[in-house]
Amino acid sequence: VQREAVVNTDGPMMIVAGAGSGKTRVLTYRIAHLIYKGVDAFNILSLTFTNKAAREMRERIEKVVGNEARNLWMGTFHSVFAKILRVEATKIGYPSNFTIYDSDDSKSLIKTILKEEGLNPDVYKPGMVLSRISLAKNNFISVGEYQKSAEVQADDIAAGKPKLGFLYEQYSKRCFHAGAMDFDDLLLKTFHLFNEHPDVLNKYQQKFKYVMVDEYQDTNHLQYLIIRKLAAVNRNLCVVGDDAQSIYAFRGANIKNILNVEKDYPDLKVFKLEQNYRSTKTIVEAASNIIKKNKYQLEKNIWTDNEQGGKIKVFKAESDNEEGSIVAHSIFEEKMNARAKDSEFAILYRTNSQSRAFEESLRRLNIPYRIIGGLSFYQRKEIKDMLAYFRLVVNPVDEEAFKRVINYPTRGIGDTTVNKIMLISRQQDVTLWHVARHIEQYGFEGRVKRAVSDWADMIEGFSLQSETKNAYDIASEVAKASGILRHLYEDKTLEGVNRYDNVQELLGAIKEFSERTDIEEKTLATFMQDVALLTDSDQKDDNEDKVTMMTIHQAKGLEFPYVFVVGLEENLFPSQMSL
């Protein structure tokens, strides 16, 4: 069946790939087979779940077909669409060097709007507002439709949050004003681009003669609509997935996309990869017996030739502390008896907040551990400060970056001055950058005027240089001229030394990026896009010998010899919200 799925390349097809069934191998050889048949690599679009998965698959394909693999369009939905939008952004009114806002930037913007409008942040919690906006975008509800919908308005009023539609409108306007898109916009704006500019859609339909989508069960409605558009001309669409592994409904994923593929494509060929190469018979049978109770599913019979394996152990604990103790002692005993490494063990839970009891128990037994999904390198304050400078150099109208660093390190531009700049910006409907660039026209005088003017001159100078210099050359100059390196170097506390080292590590990563041979564009803008699209699973692998702790969602696609699934309690796993 694997071979059939590889050699059948034309027309719509679906590969139903059970867990551990060699799906990645099939996808790798399918793409290699297309190139071997004479299809140009740049005519193949392959959409994966993480950037890391794309990188690993590209490396595998390269081993089979050589350097031609570098021309593949391969990556996550967000990274591929960001690449398209960079080229086409001006057609929808954005600069090509638009900023990609992460959730912290978005929440910060919402907090600013709440403050300006005098709305209570305890009623309109920024995280909740952002989730509501995200849900609207992923369900294809525009600001206008949101505000016109009697049903949506009634829901908001009943929830005591009648201003959500207004906040959605203001948030969208401010993002546009700042030349910024959030993660949801990368999908939404791509759809609008294709919808409103048939010539652009036609260009990419002709370009992508073969479209492949991995983890199709985790696509949302918007992703589904874009895929259908892209594959409409050549109809060489291959979707790969498993309805039994659909775990992202809380993020808008729609399982109907994979269940209804046959309705969309009556001539669909279906290949089922049903042999599991990864797990023991006991685990495969247990999983199948639970999944077969799903109401809607694609029929398949997962089986394995592997050994029977040990029985699944079930422990009942009286409290979370006792549960932590049982797991930690089990790991300790297994290490002693089987000479297992710490890195062979994983503890999986439903939410990050469950980690405390396990951390304490592991520490008591001196068992080292790491938590996936904790504060990542790029979320640290000193890194975000440095990146904010880089963002401004690439896109000076980026308002969140502007507010973050106009007075960091301190240069005599206090909160009063910043608030005045923000007020003028709102009243005159101009960007913060415009006010700073023409500070003398707005009544600022003396030291403050000079400080703002000097800072804006510095940013503009680097902005012009960034178009011709590589990422590392410009980044190292910005790090020095901004005063950040000196500021951190002068802090001789342990924390200060760590922060300085972290910024040096960031500069090292940019140097590495600038020396890569597999990419043409080595500008700061390209590096910033790569950073903005990083996910937890794309962070550098920590090869240290430690027990891994993470949520079930973060464990997707990973393998460990010893796994503890904890917190299997009513309303916690599965979550009350998913019932």
Side-chain angles (χ1 to χ4, degrees):
V1 179
Q2 284 191 349
R3 188 178 185 284
E4 288 295 303
V6 167
V7 298
N8 275 276
T9 54
D10 293 342
M13 69 178 276
M14 173 166 68
I15 301 172
V16 182
S21 60
K23 171 191 72 173
T24 307
R25 188 166 181 267
V26 168
L27 276 175
T28 299
Y29 280 95
R30 192 171 192 276
I31 293 170
H33 180 65
L34 282 169
I35 294 171
Y36 184 70
K37 269 174 58 177
V39 178
D40 283 326
F42 52 77
N43 290 141
I44 301 170
L45 170 63
S46 178
L47 296 162
T48 56
F49 195 69
T50 64
N51 294 306
K52 186 180 177 186
R55 266 197 313 274
E56 287 172 357
M57 199 183 296
R58 194 191 298 270
E59 284 165 10
R60 287 189 188 193
I61 296 165
E62 213 170 312
K63 283 175 185 166
V64 181
V65 299
N67 288 346
E68 179 69 3
R70 292 178 183 180
N71 296 324
L72 288 164
W73 276 67
M74 183 180 275
T76 62
F77 278 91
H78 293 95
S79 65
V80 168
F81 295 164
K83 194 174 172 183
I84 291 171
L85 287 168
R86 289 270 173 230
V87 178
E88 316 289 351
T90 52
K91 292 186 174 66
I92 52 171
Y94 277 84
S96 60
N97 57 350
F98 61 85
T99 301
I100 300 171
Y101 275 0
D102 65 15
S103 60
D104 286 348
D105 296 317
S106 296
K107 283 176 191 169
S108 172
L109 175 54
I110 288 164
K111 282 176 191 168
T112 302
I113 297 167
L114 292 174
K115 190 177 175 186
E116 289 170 0
E117 299 298 332
L119 293 171
N120 186 347
D122 291 331
V123 175
Y124 294 95
K125 289 188 167 68
M128 178 277 297
V129 174
L130 191 58
S131 295
R132 187 76 170 164
I133 291 170
S134 176
L135 194 63
K137 286 179 180 178
N138 282 311
N139 283 302
F140 211 51
I141 301 168
S142 67
V143 170
E145 287 165 333
Y146 192 102
Q147 292 175 331
K148 283 177 196 160
S149 167
E151 188 184 343
V152 171
Q153 293 304 310
D155 282 350
D156 288 352
I157 290 165
K161 298 172 177 66
K163 291 278 195 179
L164 280 172
F166 170 76
L167 290 171
Y168 182 9
E169 180 186 17
Q170 289 302 308
Y171 173 79
S172 300
K173 278 183 179 172
R174 295 286 277 270
C175 283
F176 184 71
H177 209 53
M181 297 188 199
D182 63 20
F183 261 54
D184 297 315
D185 286 330
L186 294 174
L187 304 181
L188 194 59
K189 303 299 181 192
T190 302
F191 182 84
H192 287 321
L193 172 72
F194 289 160
N195 222 28
E196 293 159 17
H197 298 273
D199 56 322
V200 178
L201 173 61
N202 184 54
K203 171 181 162 183
Y204 288 99
Q205 285 174 331
Q206 299 303 331
K207 183 180 183 66
F208 300 135
K209 292 185 168 52
Y210 291 86
V211 179
M212 275 170 258
V213 188
D214 194 7
E215 307 287 6
Y216 192 66
Q217 76 280 353
D218 290 325
T219 53
N220 63 29
H221 187 58
L222 205 44
Q223 290 165 329
Y224 159 80
L225 292 172
I226 297 169
I227 294 161
R228 281 201 68 184
K229 276 183 180 294
L230 282 173
V233 171
N234 292 296
R235 297 186 84 249
N236 295 322
L237 172 66
C238 171
V239 302
V240 184
D242 178 9
D243 54 304
Q245 294 181 59
S246 176
I247 58 171
Y248 283 100
F250 72 97
R251 269 197 340 209
N254 191 342
I255 196 169
K256 286 180 185 169
N257 292 350
I258 194 164
L259 295 177
N260 293 339
V261 180
E262 290 180 75
K263 287 182 186 170
D264 293 333
Y265 301 96
D267 54 338
L268 183 79
K269 293 178 199 154
V270 180
F271 298 94
K272 295 181 181 180
L273 305 181
E274 296 174 310
Q275 182 176 0
N276 179 300
Y277 297 96
R278 181 189 294 156
S279 309
T280 61
K281 283 190 172 73
T282 302
I283 289 173
V284 169
E285 285 161 12
S288 298
N289 281 328
I290 292 170
I291 289 162
K292 74 181 181 187
K293 294 180 172 61
N294 285 1
K295 194 173 178 183
Y296 304 107
Q297 56 179 294
L298 298 169
E299 263 188 55
K300 56 192 164 305
N301 178 35
I302 305 299
W303 58 280
T304 184
D305 265 345
N306 293 342
E307 62 186 9
Q308 189 64 41
K311 287 188 175 178
I312 296 168
K313 295 174 184 170
V314 180
F315 294 101
K316 188 174 181 182
E318 294 297 318
S319 66
D320 53 353
N321 286 333
E322 188 189 347
E323 186 179 25
S325 179
I326 290 170
V327 169
H329 279 93
S330 298
I331 292 173
F332 186 80
E333 285 168 24
E334 201 62 49
K335 278 174 62 180
M336 294 300 109
N337 297 336
R339 295 192 175 177
K341 291 180 177 176
D342 289 314
S343 56
E344 293 179 6
F345 296 88
I347 301 172
L348 311 181
Y349 33 69
R350 178 63 184 80
T351 64
N352 281 311
S353 59
Q354 291 169 261
S355 69
R356 181 199 55 80
F358 303 97
E359 288 187 69
E360 288 176 4
S361 297
L362 290 171
R363 275 204 297 267
R364 280 193 204 106
L365 295 176
N366 284 324
I367 298 173
Y369 62 88
R370 61 174 182 152
I371 297 177
I372 306 292
L375 189 66
S376 76
F377 178 76
Y378 288 99
Q379 293 299 110
R380 291 171 182 158
K381 181 190 179 298
E382 63 276 15
I383 300 301
K384 294 206 85 163
D385 290 336
M386 195 70 259
L387 291 176
Y389 267 104
F390 299 159
R391 278 167 49 174
L392 268 185
V393 166
V394 171
N395 173 21
V397 298
D398 180 339
E399 299 205 346
E400 290 307 307
F402 182 103
K403 288 186 293 186
R404 188 174 185 111
V405 296
I406 186 171
N407 195 38
Y408 177 78
T410 51
R411 52 176 61 85
I413 306 170
D415 288 348
T416 309
T417 303
V418 176
N419 288 336
K420 192 175 173 187
I421 291 173
M422 288 170 68
L423 186 64
I424 293 166
S425 159
R426 277 209 329 284
Q427 288 173 340
Q428 310 226 355
D429 196 27
V430 292
T431 62
L432 297 176
W433 174 248
H434 179 87
V435 180
R437 201 71 210 86
H438 305 93
I439 197 75
E440 69 286 345
Q441 295 175 18
Y442 294 102
F444 291 88
E445 295 174 349
R447 219 175 55 223
V448 168
K449 183 185 88 171
R450 211 165 40 250
V452 174
S453 184
D454 289 351
W455 178 77
D457 284 346
M458 175 184 73
I459 298 295
E460 185 164 51
F462 284 130
S463 198
L464 292 168
Q465 291 178 51
S466 72
E467 291 167 20
T468 52
K469 289 189 172 180
N470 74 33
Y472 177 68
D473 289 344
I474 197 80
S476 52
E477 285 181 40
V478 172
K480 288 172 197 157
S482 64
I484 283 188
L485 274 184
R486 186 177 64 250
H487 174 72
L488 293 174
Y489 183 74
E490 287 168 356
D491 181 356
K492 296 301 182 187
T493 64
L494 184 61
E495 197 176 46
V497 172
N498 284 338
R499 283 180 174 164
Y500 179 80
D501 289 346
N502 285 339
V503 170
Q504 290 291 2
E505 190 177 330
L506 172 65
L507 293 172
I510 299 174
K511 190 167 195 286
E512 216 173 275
F513 170 84
S514 299
E515 291 168 352
R516 276 172 60 180
T517 55
D518 60 328
I519 51 169
E520 285 176 33
E521 274 202 56
K522 297 172 187 178
T523 61
L524 191 58
T526 316
F527 176 80
M528 291 306 293
Q529 178 177 305
D530 281 5
V531 169
L533 295 166
L534 279 176
T535 61
D536 277 342
S537 54
D538 295 321
Q539 305 297 337
K540 277 192 176 176
D541 287 333
D542 180 354
N543 292 320
E544 291 178 80
D545 188 20
K546 295 176 179 177
V547 172
T548 300
M549 294 168 62
M550 60 186 149
T551 66
I552 286 280
H553 293 90
Q554 286 156 334
K556 192 173 171 72
L558 301 179
E559 296 179 26
F560 296 92
Y562 304 93
V563 178
F564 295 85
V565 183
V566 299
L568 289 170
E569 296 163 32
E570 202 68 39
N571 297 332
L572 180 59
F573 200 149
S575 159
Q576 193 169 12
M577 292 168 73
S578 65
L579 297 174

